[in-house]
Amino acid sequence: RVAAHADGSHRWCTCPGGGTGRLYSGSNDNSIRVWDLAQSPPVSLDTLTGHRDIVRTLAAARDRLYSGSRDSTVRVWDTTQSPPVSLHTLAGHNEPVDAVVVAGDRL
């Protein structure tokens, strides 16, 4: 069982880290937590910030994490760095981003 985000916020979505032993969780506190599943119980390694509203969806592929938010943006994170670094913010949606899907090298 993975604990709540720092302020007890509801975890909105989770995403496995693609064989890295990591789990990512997005929350209504606008953050993403990085969890180490090799620990028992799982340990929070990092908190990623940058979204201005609820993180509603996550997808991971290779060395990237993609997060979609109710702030109508998608962020691209470099997961090779610790903590992961936001590389790009994809803005321009008129509505909240409810799903991101990665297929091969395409978002």
Side-chain angles (χ1 to χ4, degrees), residues 17 20 22 24 34 46 48 59-66 76-87:
T20 63
R22 304 285 190 261
Y24 303 100
V34 182
D46 296 304
L48 312 182
R62 296 189 183 158
D63 58 356
R64 298 290 185 259
L65 174 67
Y66 304 90
V76 181
W77 304 85
D78 178 354
T79 59
T80 65
Q81 300 195 39
S82 184
V85 174
S86 179
L87 297 174

Side-chain angles (χ1 to χ4, degrees), residues 4-67:
H5 282 229
D7 65 356
S9 297
H10 170 74
R11 287 181 311 281
W12 193 268
C13 56
T14 59
C15 172
T20 63
R22 304 285 190 261
L23 177 77
Y24 303 100
S25 63
S27 178
N28 63 358
D29 66 1
N30 310 344
S31 73
I32 300 164
R33 299 283 294 269
V34 182
W35 301 91
D36 181 357
L37 297 181
Q39 305 293 321
S40 183
V43 173
S44 175
L45 300 175
D46 296 304
T47 301
L48 312 182
T49 60
H51 282 293
R52 296 180 317 273
D53 208 331
I54 296 170
V55 178
R56 299 190 58 147
T57 184
L58 298 166
R62 296 189 183 158
D63 58 356
R64 298 290 185 259
L65 174 67
Y66 304 90
S67 58

